[in-house]
Amino acid sequence: MNHPCANSKSLLLQVLNGCLLLCMILIKDSAIAAIPTGNETDLQALVHFKSKIVEDPFNTMSSWNGSINHCNWIGITCSNISNGRVTHLSLEQLRLGGTLTPFIGNLTFLTTVNLLNNSFHGEFPQEVGRLLYLQYLNFSINNFGGSFPSNLSHCTNLRVLAAGLNNLTGTIPTWIGNLSSLSRVSFGLNNFIGRIPHEVGLLSSLTSLVLYGNYLTGTVPSSIYNISSLYYFTFTQNHLHGTLPADVGFTLPNIQVFAGAVNNLTGSVPASLLNASKLEILDFSLNGLTGTLPKNLGVLYRLTRLSFEHNRLGTGKTDDLSFLDSLVNCTALQVLRLGVNNFGGVLPKSIANFSSQLHTFALNSNRIHGNIPAGIGNLANLALIGLEGNELTSSVPDALGRLQNLQLLYLNVNKFSGRIPSSLGNLSLITKLFLEENNFEGSIPSSLGNCQKLLVLSLYSNKLSGTIPTEVIGLSSLAIYFDVSYNALSGTLPVEVSKLRNLAELVLSENNFSGVIPSSLGSCISLEKLHLQGEIPKNGIFKNATSISLYGNIKLCGGVSELNFPPCTIRKRKASRLRKLVASKVAIPIAIALILLLLLSCFLTLFPIVKRAKRKTPTSTTGNALDLEISYSEITKCTGGFSQDNLIGSGSFGSVYKGTLSGDGSIVAVKVLNLQQRGASRSFIDECHVLRSIRHRNLLKIITAISGVDHQGNDFKALVFEYMPNGSLEDWLHPVNNVQTQTKKLTFIQRLNIAIDVACALEYLHHFCETPIVHCDIKPSNVLLDNDLVAHVGDFGLATFLFEESSKFSTQSVISASLRGSIGYIPPEYGMGGKPSTLGDVYSYGILLLEIFTGKRPTDEEAFEGGMGIHQFVAMALPNRVTDIVDPSLVSEQDFDEENQEFEDEEKAIRKNYEIEASAKGLMEDCFVSLMEIGASCSANPPSERMPITVVINKLHAIKNSFKKIKHSAI
Ligand SMILES: *[C@@H]1O[C@H](CO)[C@@H](O)[C@H](O)[C@H]1NC(C)=O
Ligand SMILES: *[C@@H]1O[C@H](CO)[C@@H](O)[C@H](O)[C@H]1NC(C)=O
Ligand SMILES: *[C@@H]1O[C@H](CO)[C@@H](O)[C@H](O)[C@H]1NC(C)=O
């Protein structure tokens, strides 16, 4: 098989080793002339490559056929300079599955191999070591296993080596130190063990090193801290120990992202870091660091995220927090997490001057005393305040009520006194309010009834008195728990309690309530736990002894006989502080405890949901297996036996049918999972987990989940959602002609509202869930529209909990190796081994926004010539040619009329005035420019340049307001 020229060929290559690539290829050119079969070898290798592909959902490989020259196959680039030999193999994000052929080693002239985000498995073939010109190798987000291909050590021209998110094992090879051109290396989210070789430190051109999420042990070699070109270095989530070098800020002067959270680091935080003035992200949470933070930390004025949560920092003494004063210089700071340390002292008044972008302020579980400075009310973007578990005193400032974006407020387990400020009722976005275990007195402010998004209201163990205001007990948004136990509340329980239809846990015990328990409590159909005293109702949910837990409420009486409570006699009260004692012992990081609870409930998800479904089917009173079968029957019936007529869509993991429930006749969407599809089961569980824990106006609401067997005895899993009569945004933006779909186009204001809805849903997922959730698949077909065209984000099959952000859980087992998204919407950094991140969702959102207002798909190759994507297409038109790229139907006259109609209510009749309308059109253009700028910013390549979603929402609202003004001026 050896070619006669093989020897001279390798000799030539040896001679040329070290020469620049272009120079090599040019000289090689003449050598190639002697090997006429070179292109045939390439062809053969590619044919073999194709033969190993077993999954190809987009039919990419169909273009790889004999009727087309192989240089024109999808993903293949040949170069004249290499005599028509293949130089690029670029098959990213195509969901190709199979093994990688060893024939790849015959594609001698390859400079680029990009297999990012597919499903290749097996070992990466050693033959890759024959690709001596290789500069770019990216096989991140696949399922390659085994150890790293050692022959890769021959590819000395490699600049980029991305192997993130695979199933690789073994150690990081020492020979990596010989690949001296390497600039970017990602080994993130694999199973690497052993030490980080000190040879990595030989890579003097390295800019980015990602070791995140492995099982590495030992210390970080000091040689790595001497690579002055590094700007991105993360080794979060390993088992590393040791200290940060004292001079690290001088040896890494260019560092922007420096993270080593979730390890066993000890020692102090080096003061030299103050010299690394480009730092944006500094995250060493969950280690064992001691000492204090440098007083003038704020000289790092570019910081956006500062996290030293859960270490042993601070002395517990008075001036521990004096460094906070300097942080007023960090005008871009968004996240400040210093919780679970030993910081003493008081909160300085200077926090009033913190960055207006700050959305997370967490100093929980420290030893902070004094009060909360009223100036905190200036921080208008704050979404989370975590001050629980400190020794804070005095009353809570009214100014908190000014924080219009606040969603989570933790003030529990402190020594606050005085009344609960009624201004908290102004927090229209708040979802969780924790005030328990303080000394609050007076009555519960009725204004809290205005917090229409509240899911948790925790007031136990205070000194509250008076009755529970009807506005509060009737707050129908309450869904997780409402706990007022261990107070001095009195009066009767208002009948409005019946409005708590979504509430899972209601705790009223240890108060002075009197009178009867209203029978309307039976309407709380979601109730899983109820703690109170007195007589148990016998109707509604209380009819069925198995559907409710009353365990531990020894003072209850009455109820249906199956509950085995004694009949009611005269009630006696005997206070017990047991709960308080237990609670304060485990109070440490209450937030983390809650996450644990959430996790637990997640893992138990299927059971309660199915159980709830059962309750809705009055006929199902027999054993479990039968119940599931009945559910299957019910679903079969309601979808007309899964008839084609009822099929309203099919997604990555199954089909969606429309159905009518026999019970109340409500119309639902039933998503039946295709369990043959790899990952579908996992996706089902993921989706249940996510849906279980979240509720938001702009998220698709789940009605129930069904997991069981079908009539043939096969596994069957389905999710039942509320039905969205207006279909998906996809149907509206890109109607398919032959199918019955929308003939009407969406107007400007409708599109803007949809954009705002989706952004709100994302903001909720990212910032206001107990654990941040990344959706991972934002695209038009996952945005569903109800009767009023309000958008609901659906399909949580790919969503990921971001534990790393908020807790100490190992992500290793949780972040699934099947991370995916949809072509055109996947952020580029996922390819470099980047983990799922909220900024990844922002990228997809940016693309979506551009799509909404240009009407063009990101995958529309005809529209964007020369490999340009929608982002560049828009960026090039900004700002002067923006009307050329907006969806033509938005600039047309007729559209204006329609929109005017929409504003009729608000602005009365519209008289046409062409002159004013002309100027209105100029203003419209400004709106378009702003929108495209937001979309372009969100879809910027470097994640750090993407606009935070909270800012997006503010800007979109501003555009909406100025649009309304335009309409006013047109009257
Ligand atoms: C290979 O190159 C030769 C000479 O340029 C050409 O005639 C032949 O068609 C090529 N074969 C393929 C498979 O491209
Ligand atoms: C290409 O590579 C494969 C496996 O590495 C080998 O078996 C084959 O003979 C090589 N040569 C050609 C011309 O395909
Ligand atoms: C990862 O590799 C191990 C063996 O090293 C194997 O048992 C496991 O199934 C692989 N995981 C996946 C998701 O392929």
Side-chain angles (χ1 to χ4, degrees):
M1 288 293 279
N2 262 357
H3 195 275
C5 297
N7 278 342
S8 64
K9 181 177 157 191
S10 72
L11 191 71
L12 182 65
L13 287 176
Q14 265 174 21
V15 171
L16 293 177
N17 214 354
C19 184
L20 281 174
L21 177 80
L22 188 64
C23 144
M24 286 159 76
I25 292 181
L26 284 173
I27 297 174
K28 201 80 186 65
D29 221 3
S30 54
I32 282 304
I35 312 170
T37 57
N39 58 358
E40 304 290 344
T41 308
D42 282 2
L43 174 62
Q44 227 175 78
L46 293 177
V47 167
H48 208 261
F49 179 97
K50 177 176 172 176
S51 74
K52 296 284 177 190
I53 302 288
V54 293
E55 281 172 48
D56 182 9
F58 304 120
N59 259 326
T60 310
M61 289 292 127
S62 64
S63 83
W64 287 36
N65 64 52
S67 67
I68 310 171
N69 182 290
H70 66 270
C71 288
N72 295 326
W73 293 355
I74 287 181
I76 302 300
T77 309
C78 299
S79 161
N80 289 337
I81 223 165
S82 59
N83 217 8
R85 298 288 301 270
V86 174
T87 56
H88 290 62
L89 178 64
S90 295
L91 294 167
E92 59 193 294
Q93 305 183 356
L94 292 172
R95 301 197 184 172
L96 297 174
T99 56
L100 183 57
T101 172
F103 277 57
I104 192 169
N106 293 353
L107 296 164
T108 322
F109 281 78
L110 277 177
T111 61
T112 294
V113 173
N114 186 355
L115 301 175
L116 163 66
N117 198 356
N118 286 287
S119 301
F120 286 99
H121 64 271
E123 294 210 4
F124 202 96
Q126 288 289 358
E127 284 75 4
V128 68
R130 297 168 59 191
L131 304 176
L132 301 182
Y133 300 149
L134 199 59
Q135 293 184 53
Y136 181 99
L137 176 58
N138 186 347
F139 58 92
S140 286
I141 320 186
N142 276 286
N143 208 7
F144 284 114
S147 56
F148 215 71
S150 55
N151 282 350
L152 202 61
S153 60
H154 302 155
C155 304
T156 50
N157 287 300
L158 267 185
R159 293 181 191 182
V160 172
L161 176 55
L165 229 173
N166 278 284
N167 191 17
L168 299 172
T169 53
T171 54
I172 296 179
T174 52
W175 48 256
I176 193 162
N178 301 337
L179 305 180
S180 58
S181 305
L182 275 177
S183 154
R184 294 192 288 162
V185 172
S186 171
F187 289 137
L189 289 165
N190 279 290
N191 309 315
F192 288 115
I193 55 168
R195 303 176 76 90
I196 305 172
H198 68 85
E199 285 85 352
V200 175
L202 299 172
L203 302 173
S204 58
S205 309
L206 207 58
T207 58
S208 168
L209 178 60
V210 178
L211 302 175
Y212 167 76
N214 282 289
Y215 301 99
L216 299 169
T217 49
T219 59
V220 176
S222 56
S223 58
I224 295 183
Y225 289 119
N226 284 329
I227 309 176
S228 60
S229 49
L230 266 184
Y231 73 85
Y232 194 114
F233 183 27
T234 159
F235 54 90
T236 289
Q237 286 269 351
N238 280 287
H239 301 306
L240 297 162
H241 65 265
T243 57
L244 292 170
D247 59 352
V248 61
F250 296 105
T251 58
L252 296 178
N254 292 305
I255 198 80
Q256 292 175 22
V257 174
F258 188 30
V262 201
N263 280 292
N264 304 316
L265 303 180
T266 48
S268 59
V269 178
S272 72
L273 278 173
L274 300 182
N275 186 58
S277 59
K278 297 180 181 170
L279 267 175
E280 291 173 16
I281 293 180
L282 186 59
D283 184 353
F284 284 87
S285 307
L286 287 138
N287 279 291
L289 299 174
T290 47
T292 51
L293 290 177
K295 266 206 168 46
N296 45 345
L297 194 56
V299 301
L300 300 174
Y301 67 99
R302 295 189 190 179
L303 281 177
T304 59
R305 166 181 288 260
L306 180 65
S307 182
F308 282 95
E309 197 161 62
H310 220 298
N311 279 285
R312 278 182 253 132
L313 296 168
T315 62
K317 301 227 182 71
T318 301
D319 72 340
D320 269 0
L321 294 175
S322 54
F323 65 90
L324 287 181
D325 286 335
S326 73
L327 295 184
V328 299
N329 297 324
C330 307
T331 52
L333 194 64
Q334 295 174 10
V335 175
L336 180 64
R337 285 189 180 269
L338 301 168
V340 200
N341 277 292
N342 196 27
F343 290 118
V346 298
L347 293 173
K349 289 212 165 58
S350 57
I351 65 173
N353 300 324
F354 274 6
S355 150
S356 60
Q357 299 192 41
L358 195 69
H359 65 71
T360 298
F361 179 71
L363 284 158
N364 52 299
S365 302
N366 279 292
R367 296 167 66 182
I368 305 170
H369 62 270
N371 60 1
I372 302 180
I376 200 169
N378 292 353
L379 304 176
N381 253 322
L382 270 184
L384 181 154
I385 296 178
L387 290 171
E388 74 273 21
N390 282 293
E391 290 155 23
L392 294 164
T393 49
S394 354
S395 53
V396 168
D398 283 338
L400 280 182
R402 285 163 49 202
L403 298 173
Q404 283 301 305
N405 288 306
L406 198 63
Q407 305 225 7
L408 301 167
L409 179 57
Y410 295 86
L411 301 178
N412 44 312
V413 198
N414 277 291
K415 295 174 181 163
F416 289 116
S417 54
R419 304 177 75 91
I420 297 173
S422 62
S423 65
L424 296 187
N426 298 337
L427 301 174
S428 57
L429 297 181
I430 194 154
T431 57
K432 300 185 186 174
L433 179 55
F434 296 90
L435 301 176
E436 78 271 15
E437 299 203 41
N438 280 293
N439 297 316
F440 287 114
E441 54 198 28
S443 52
I444 300 174
S446 59
S447 62
L448 291 181
N450 298 333
C451 303
Q452 296 281 331
K453 299 202 168 169
L454 208 56
L455 303 170
V456 173
L457 180 54
S458 183
L459 303 173
Y460 68 83
S461 294
N462 277 292
K463 296 176 178 161
L464 299 168
S465 54
T467 56
I468 303 185
T470 52
E471 293 87 344
V472 176
I473 197 97
L475 194 51
S476 59
S477 62
L478 285 171
I480 300 177
Y481 68 89
F482 178 34
D483 190 338
V484 293
S485 60
Y486 293 96
N487 279 291
L489 297 164
S490 56
T492 55
L493 196 57
V495 290
E496 282 78 3
V497 69
S498 64
K499 293 190 184 158
L500 299 174
R501 295 182 69 86
N502 295 316
L503 191 64
E505 203 176 328
L506 177 62
V507 189
L508 306 168
S509 46
E510 302 299 335
N511 279 292
N512 302 324
F513 292 121
S514 55
V516 293
I517 298 176
S519 62
S520 60
L521 200 53
S523 323
C524 303
I525 54 170
S526 304
L527 219 51
E528 284 163 12
K529 275 191 201 158
L530 174 68
H531 301 260
L532 40 63
Q533 295 146 330
E535 181 163 11
I536 307 160
K538 293 183 178 162
N539 54 356
I541 192 176
F542 294 95
K543 249 190 280 184
N544 186 348
T546 58
S547 58
I548 182 154
S549 152
L550 297 167
Y551 179 77
N553 294 279
I554 49 170
K555 290 188 207 119
L556 284 176
C557 59
V560 294
S561 59
E562 290 89 336
L563 288 170
N564 291 324
F565 278 93
C568 293
T569 50
I570 298 162
R571 180 177 152 255
K572 282 187 197 146
R573 180 170 172 273
K574 188 177 155 217
S576 149
R577 306 298 289 175
L578 184 67
R579 182 187 168 114
K580 162 94 179 173
L581 286 175
V582 171
S584 51
K585 265 189 201 141
V586 296
I588 317 87
I590 284 213
I592 286 179
L594 280 171
I595 295 166
L596 258 176
L597 272 178
L598 184 115
L599 272 175
L600 261 177
S601 67
C602 282
F603 289 118
L604 299 172
T605 291
L606 301 184
F607 175 65
I609 293 185
V610 169
K611 199 169 144 197
R612 203 169 297 159
K614 191 172 75 181
R615 289 184 213 143
K616 286 185 183 157
T617 321
T619 51
S620 60
T621 48
T622 39
N624 255 345
L626 191 57
D627 286 351
L628 293 173
E629 208 175 320
I630 289 170
S631 294
Y632 172 74
S633 304
E634 161 90 21
I635 288 304
T636 314
K637 200 164 94 216
C638 103
T639 57
F642 305 109
S643 86
Q644 281 304 108
D645 296 342
N646 287 329
L647 184 69
I648 49 178
S650 48
S652 46
F653 285 110
S655 310
V656 184
Y657 298 87
K658 183 178 167 179
T660 312
L661 288 182
S662 58
D664 56 359
S666 59
I667 301 181
V668 294
V670 183
K671 177 169 164 184
V672 180
L673 286 115
N674 168 13
L675 298 176
Q676 264 69 55
Q677 169 84 33
R678 213 175 103 224
S681 236
R682 159 97 219 186
S683 159
F684 174 73
I685 295 166
D686 285 351
E687 189 155 3
C688 287
H689 287 181
V690 173
L691 291 168
R692 166 85 175 161
S693 57
I694 57 177
R695 280 160 217 266
H696 188 272
R697 160 180 193 267
N698 299 118
L699 295 174
L700 191 60
K701 201 158 89 202
I702 190 172
I703 295 172
T704 186
I706 293 147
S707 175
V709 287
D710 65 14
H711 291 324
Q712 277 82 47
N714 300 316
D715 278 347
F716 172 86
K717 292 191 197 308
L719 297 164
V720 182
F721 295 97
E722 57 182 333
Y723 175 67
M724 293 284 129
N726 269 315
S728 77
L729 180 59
E730 169 83 18
D731 305 334
W732 284 82
L733 292 178
H734 313 291
V736 184
N737 288 335
N738 50 0
V739 184
Q740 158 255 339
T741 40
Q742 338 295 338
T743 48
K744 250 181 89 176
K745 284 266 183 186
L746 289 171
T747 65
F748 175 80
I749 193 71
Q750 286 167 339
R751 291 182 204 217
L752 185 55
N753 284 334
I754 290 169
I756 293 174
D757 288 343
V758 178
C760 288
L762 279 182
E763 188 194 36
Y764 172 77
L765 291 173
H766 293 172
H767 302 301
F768 309 126
C769 289
E770 195 68 58
T771 299
I773 292 167
V774 181
H775 185 281
C776 289
D777 204 10
I778 293 294
K779 59 177 175 181
S781 57
N782 286 340
V783 175
L784 301 153
L785 304 175
D786 69 13
N787 238 337
D788 304 321
L789 289 176
V790 172
H792 301 252
V793 172
D795 202 338
F796 287 83
L798 301 183
T800 306
F801 283 95
L802 263 199
F803 295 97
E804 194 247 351
E805 286 267 329
S806 62
S807 81
K808 60 174 176 186
F809 292 93
S810 161
T811 66
Q812 202 65 47
S813 56
V814 183
I815 290 184
S816 103
S818 60
L819 165 72
R820 284 184 195 154
S822 297
I823 292 185
Y825 303 88
I826 300 177
E829 70 272 15
Y830 285 8
M832 282 299 296
K835 58 188 190 297
S837 70
T838 52
L839 284 174
D841 274 355
V842 170
Y843 177 90
S844 312
Y845 177 80
I847 299 289
L848 178 82
L849 192 65
L850 297 179
E851 182 170 358
I852 292 175
F853 289 98
T854 59
K856 292 193 168 53
R857 292 178 197 274
T859 47
D860 184 346
E861 278 174 14
E862 275 170 38
F864 319 124
E865 301 141 20
M868 180 167 73
I870 191 167
H871 173 90
Q872 286 117 302
F873 172 74
V874 170
M876 281 168 60
L878 279 173
N880 298 327
R881 290 195 303 105
V882 78
T883 39
D884 297 354
I885 58 160
V886 295
D887 190 329
S889 75
L890 292 181
V891 271
S892 71
E893 222 20 82
Q894 175 226 354
D895 197 35
F896 249 75
D897 286 349
E898 271 177 27
E899 275 154 19
N900 287 344
Q901 295 271 312
E902 289 212 337
F903 278 81
E904 222 164 33
D905 282 349
E906 245 172 283
E907 285 142 28
K908 306 282 178 270
I910 288 155
R911 254 189 318 111
K912 278 230 162 136
N913 178 325
Y914 289 97
E915 210 177 291
I916 295 173
E917 191 164 282
S919 92
K921 277 203 165 162
L923 293 170
M924 269 314 284
E925 220 173 295
D926 293 346
C927 285
F928 288 136
V929 171
S930 307
L931 282 167
M932 297 296 177
E933 277 171 356
I934 297 169
S937 161
C938 290
S939 58
N941 254 355
S944 59
E945 285 177 18
R946 293 177 201 154
M947 190 180 282
I949 200 76
T950 322
V951 179
V952 171
I953 294 172
N954 291 344
K955 292 204 177 224
L956 292 179
H957 276 298
I959 293 173
K960 190 168 164 182
N961 287 338
S962 59
F963 177 76
K964 284 186 185 172
K965 285 199 196 104
I966 297 171
K967 291 297 140 194
H968 263 297
S969 73
I971 295 179

